[in-house]
Amino acid sequence: MLKEQYEKSLKTIDFLKNRMTIQPKVAIVLGSGLGGLTKCMEILDEIPYTEIPNFPVSTVKGHKGTLIFGRINQVDVVVLNGRFHYYEGYPMDIVTYPEMVFAGLGVKILILSNAAGGMNPTFQVGDIMLIRDHINFFGTNPLIGPNDDNLGPRFPNMSEVYSARLRKLARQKARENNIHLQEGVYLGVTGPCFETPSEYKAYFLLGADAVGMSTVPEAIVGVYRGMEVFALSVITDLGVVGQVMEATHEEVLQAANSAEPKMIQLISEMMPEL
Ligand code: HPA
């Protein structure tokens, strides 16, 4: 599977390399309702997925579907404006296709963002959570299949998926800019259902602080392809024992939008020191 995914990506990479006027070291994946980052960046080139050879197309409401080359705080970046979720029906090799492409373009740092439900009782809606580690509850893995040792190891080390260096930088920048930053473990599920009260409770007991429907597969492929990974969650609803909120997709988007300025500021402040 991986080999096929890689071979397919060569055409995409070739197309993008020919078109690129910058050589970004950083890739950013925008999560639910965080598309506002694109308004705060200098856009050099915005390409609809439909115009990129072999690139998948996204279907979910609130997700755009363009690949953007540009600058944030003077730093060259490539931005995935609309990710591919497993719950949409995409297989794992499509969900993680952009990461294969980023690696092929020479990207070294992968920044992931998402909306998540918080189980930690100290969390509030609108908080930003620095992901310290994850629990893969997808019941599958994007690296299943014959391995190509030229791409990455058969048994990748997962002891530090989320770069300690980048987490430290984020904490420092949050402090300097008075941004309240939570930190915790993200548990990734397939969705599309939000959790039952018992599921939120079970995930919290397992050691997770937040739960969401993305990020884990992308982070795994990021590590596999040798990128340094960093990820932030916006807490958009709470699954705290005894006070589970009934979230709708609209409420999730609204909460994500309200946290957006803080998230953008944090990422922007980190850029020059990446
Ligand atoms: N559960 C799963 N995914 C989510 C949630 C949630 O509560 N909120 C936003 N994405």
Side-chain angles (χ1 to χ4, degrees):
M1 217 49 176
L2 279 179
K3 203 170 161 60
E4 275 169 46
Q5 181 192 28
Y6 174 69
E7 277 161 11
K8 208 171 121 191
S9 75
L10 292 177
K11 197 169 166 194
T12 307
I13 292 163
D14 193 48
F15 168 86
L16 292 171
K17 274 190 173 162
N18 283 324
R19 179 151 167 166
M20 272 159 48
T21 55
I22 52 171
Q23 184 55 254
K25 199 179 88 171
V26 182
I28 305 178
V29 175
L30 300 181
S32 287
L34 299 168
L37 186 72
T38 60
K39 287 182 222 111
C40 307
M41 65 185 283
E42 182 192 340
I43 294 179
L44 299 172
D45 194 10
E46 180 164 11
I47 319 171
Y49 296 162
T50 48
E51 291 175 19
I52 307 174
N54 284 348
F55 215 78
V57 178
S58 113
T59 59
V60 95
K61 204 161 75 176
H63 292 266
K64 296 252 166 27
T66 57
L67 191 69
I68 305 175
F69 291 90
R71 290 196 188 96
I72 299 174
N73 208 358
Q74 326 290 341
V75 178
D76 292 346
V77 292
V78 53
V79 171
L80 188 81
N81 188 22
R83 62 148 57 89
F84 307 101
H85 298 89
Y86 194 60
Y87 64 73
E88 291 177 85
Y90 297 111
M92 278 292 170
D93 58 346
I94 298 286
V95 171
T96 59
Y97 189 81
E99 284 67 33
M100 286 299 254
V101 170
F102 292 150
L105 294 177
V107 166
K108 304 288 179 226
I109 295 176
L110 176 65
I111 299 181
L112 304 167
S113 64
N114 62 59
M119 282 90 70
N120 185 316
T122 69
F123 287 4
Q124 285 177 354
V125 168
D127 277 353
I128 300 177
M129 184 187 90
L130 179 63
I131 300 184
R132 187 195 323 125
D133 200 2
H134 75 223
I135 298 174
N136 180 10
F137 238 63
F138 276 81
T140 184
N141 190 298
L143 304 182
I144 289 174
N147 191 56
D148 180 346
D149 293 338
N150 295 314
L151 296 180
R154 171 73 290 189
F155 301 107
N157 188 312
M158 291 280 133
S159 59
E160 190 189 310
V161 174
Y162 303 90
S163 158
R165 179 183 82 88
L166 297 178
R167 280 185 278 133
K168 187 174 167 197
L169 177 64
R171 282 192 293 263
Q172 179 202 329
K173 292 295 171 194
R175 243 187 340 263
E176 286 171 11
N177 293 278
N178 272 318
I179 296 169
H180 181 55
L181 193 60
Q182 301 279 17
E183 186 167 340
V185 174
Y186 175 95
L187 184 141
V189 292
T190 64
C193 297
F194 288 120
E195 286 62 39
T196 64
S198 303
E199 284 165 344
Y200 283 122
K201 184 178 174 186
Y203 297 156
F204 183 61
L205 289 173
L206 280 177
D209 298 283
V211 55
M213 306 175 195
S214 66
T215 301
V216 169
E218 295 133 290
I220 289 173
V221 171
V223 167
Y224 172 74
R225 295 293 284 118
M227 290 186 274
E228 204 178 356
V229 179
F230 175 78
L232 294 172
S233 294
V234 180
I235 304 301
T236 53
D237 54 280
L238 295 177
V240 174
V241 175
Q243 51 178 90
V244 175
M245 294 167 28
E246 272 183 52
T248 63
H249 184 53
E250 283 67 32
E251 283 164 344
V252 165
L253 290 182
Q254 211 174 6
N257 283 332
S258 75
E260 199 173 73
K262 284 189 293 182
M263 186 103 141
I264 292 170
Q265 193 190 359
L266 182 58
I267 288 175
S268 166
E269 291 285 339
M270 288 174 69
M271 279 296 154
E273 289 173 55
L274 288 178

